[in-house]
Structures are given as C-alpha cells and as structure tokens.
Amino acid sequence: MAVRAVRGAVQLERDEAGHMDEQVRELLATILERNELKSDDLISIWFTATPDLHSDFPAAAARGLGIVDVPLICAQELDIAGALPRVVRILAHIESDRPKSEIAHVYLGAAAALRKDIAQ
C-alpha cells in the first residue's frame, strides 16, 4: 500500500450548520465511493473553510459519517479578494494501491471551477 492524497471541495449555498453537514458528508461520501475507500484506508483529513463560514466545523460531518478514529483538523483558507466564497476543501491522506493517476479528486457543484484540470 502506498500513501496517497485525495483532494475535494464543495461550495455551500449558505452558512448554516445543517447545510454544511449535509454538503460535507456528500463530498466525503463521494470521495470514498469514487476511490473505493473504507474508513480504515484513511490516514488523516485536513478541512479548510473560507473565512465567510462560521456555523460549524467541517470535520464534524466526518464524525457524523462514522469516521471516528481518523485524525481530523480544520483550518481557515486565505482571505483572497475574488476567491470563490463559502467553500470547504478537503485534503485526505489515504492508503491505496491505486497509482496517483487513478486517484479520483472530487469537486462538487460550483467548486468544480477551482480545479478544472482534475475535477471529476
């Protein structure tokens, strides 16, 4: 098994805890599904949120999915003029036999504009 990194992002419609939980759960579930991963394959997950998101910790959604024994951390994105607002990003470190070229990075909804080169 090799250590790989998987990227993903989602843009929220509004800054509400329930909405963030729903959207981040969908993003995580899609990352796991597209990469054929189980919770045991996860090493750690970094979550970042743009400075306009205050309603909850994105990592709380992972705990709600049952990801309870994986180190999680949240951080704030840089406040750059013109950046896409209300975005949660994920960088997950995983164990996988897949080559880097076969890792499925997931950018949902309007967040696909962030990485058109790798968005699925």
Side-chain angles (χ1 to χ4, degrees):
M1 289 274 181
V3 173
R4 300 285 185 230
V6 182
R7 289 291 318 264
V10 63
Q11 184 183 37
L12 306 183
E13 294 174 16
R14 57 195 175 279
D15 183 22
E16 294 176 0
H19 179 63
M20 179 184 290
D21 183 71
E22 174 186 292
Q23 294 296 301
V24 174
R25 281 185 192 220
E26 180 182 353
L27 177 59
L28 278 170
T30 304
I31 288 171
L32 294 174
E33 178 184 319
R34 290 188 186 168
N35 289 287
E36 299 177 348
L37 298 169
K38 303 176 303 291
S39 182
D40 285 347
D41 299 323
L42 299 171
I43 297 169
S44 64
I45 305 174
W46 278 83
F47 295 86
T48 65
T50 51
D52 51 1
L53 294 174
H54 308 279
S55 61
D56 203 357
F57 295 100
R63 299 295 185 219
L65 280 177
I67 300 171
V68 295
D69 60 351
V70 175
L72 310 175
I73 192 165
C74 296
Q76 187 176 71
E77 284 287 333
L78 296 173
D79 192 9
I80 304 297
L84 196 62
R86 300 177 316 280
V87 174
V88 174
R89 291 173 174 86
I90 290 176
L91 174 62
H93 298 96
I94 63 169
E95 292 181 324
S96 176
D97 287 327
R98 288 180 179 220
K100 286 181 188 180
S101 62
E102 292 181 17
I103 297 296
H105 304 281
V106 178
Y107 290 78
L108 299 178
L114 295 171
R115 290 297 306 263
K116 293 178 183 175
D117 57 326
I118 62 174
Q120 306 294 314

